[in-house]
Amino acid sequence: SLAYGRWIWGESARYFEAFWVTTFGLLSMMILALISFEQYSRFVRQRQLGSKQVILLMAGIYVMALFLGLAPLCGWCGYGPEGYGVSNSLNWTKLTDSAASYIVFVMIVGYFVPLAVIGYCYKAIYNLVQCQLNVAVVQTLISSNVTTLTANRNHSLLIQERQLAMTITFIILSFFFSWTPYVVINLINMFTPWVAKYKILATVPALFAKSSTLWWILIYGLVDKRIKKACRKTCSHFKRSFRVWYFS
């Protein structure tokens, strides 16, 4: 499609691509909000989410994402080409009252609510870690006998706080910068048609939005020790399997 400068795979493939892009885009944002809430519940509320709760929340997220992905196929809004016509998404150009209501609903559910959940949860976690660090520092200052164990613990808390602050900053910024241009452009398009005249305005924000899933996966993979440990374990398993397959 990029080589030809137009969509060449037919209308069925157009709807298929738009459906999966919309569904998985919304799904990734909701899952990111769920991860934030799980960490908030574990660290701040000191309450681990049970398996049944996680299953119910994940089921609700999948149902909501599928519902919002299928709705345009059933007549609520619609799918169509975006930007230069080499990719597909929601039809932002032909806005009826029904389509506008769907777009507003998607923006609330898929952007504003996850952003609010992510911001609130990570702010609470950061405040908790900061409070614990301050308490540890005060205890060290008022103690006349500072042991090596106490100093090491305070140093560990400081490192933890820095890592958490870095993770929070990257996650919120990646979410914000990936989706905000897309949301702003399409909100403007709801009130004025001039955005449709400049295809680059529809293409570049869409590319940023579609890359959001990659960013938060990379952030968690590079910062979270559990994920890094699991990745190393998985890679070592594949290496052993490859060696067994190759030399057998």
Side-chain angles (χ1 to χ4, degrees), residues 180-211:
T180 299
Y182 191 67
V183 171
V184 169
I185 286 296
N186 289 299
L187 279 175
I188 295 174
N189 188 59
M190 292 179 64
F191 299 100
T192 176
W194 69 268
V195 175
K197 299 178 182 178
Y198 304 96
K199 295 182 178 181
I200 190 69
L201 292 178
T203 301
V204 175
L207 293 176
F208 272 97
K210 292 174 182 179
S211 68

Side-chain angles (χ1 to χ4, degrees), residues 102-133:
Y102 173 84
I103 290 171
V104 171
F105 183 72
V106 165
M107 287 183 178
I108 293 173
V109 174
Y111 176 78
F112 292 108
V113 171
L115 183 62
V117 172
I118 293 168
Y120 175 81
C121 291
Y122 280 123
K123 185 177 185 301
I125 295 172
Y126 178 78
N127 290 340
L128 175 65
V129 175
Q130 184 68 42
C131 181
Q132 291 176 344
L133 179 63

Side-chain angles (χ1 to χ4, degrees), residues 59-70:
I61 287 174
Y62 272 90
V63 169
M64 177 60 73
L66 283 172
F67 168 73
L68 293 175
L70 289 171

Side-chain angles (χ1 to χ4, degrees), residues 7 12 38 49 63 75 86 90 100 110 122 148 157 166 172 176 185-186 190 213 223 226:
W7 184 256
S12 298
E38 188 276 332
L49 293 178
V63 169
V86 296
L90 297 174
Y122 280 123
T148 304
L157 282 173
M166 182 175 62
I172 294 178
F176 185 80
I185 286 296
N186 289 299
M190 292 179 64
T213 305
V223 176
R226 295 171 300 171

Side-chain angles (χ1 to χ4, degrees), residues 147-200:
T147 63
T148 304
L149 179 62
T150 302
N152 291 337
R153 183 179 61 187
N154 293 341
H155 180 67
S156 177
L157 282 173
L158 182 60
I159 293 175
Q160 182 183 7
E161 184 215 357
R162 288 176 178 174
Q163 289 179 341
L164 181 62
M166 182 175 62
T167 306
I168 292 170
T169 302
F170 283 142
I171 289 174
I172 294 178
L173 287 179
S174 67
F175 185 95
F176 185 80
F177 285 113
S178 293
W179 284 101
T180 299
Y182 191 67
V183 171
V184 169
I185 286 296
N186 289 299
L187 279 175
I188 295 174
N189 188 59
M190 292 179 64
F191 299 100
T192 176
W194 69 268
V195 175
K197 299 178 182 178
Y198 304 96
K199 295 182 178 181
I200 190 69

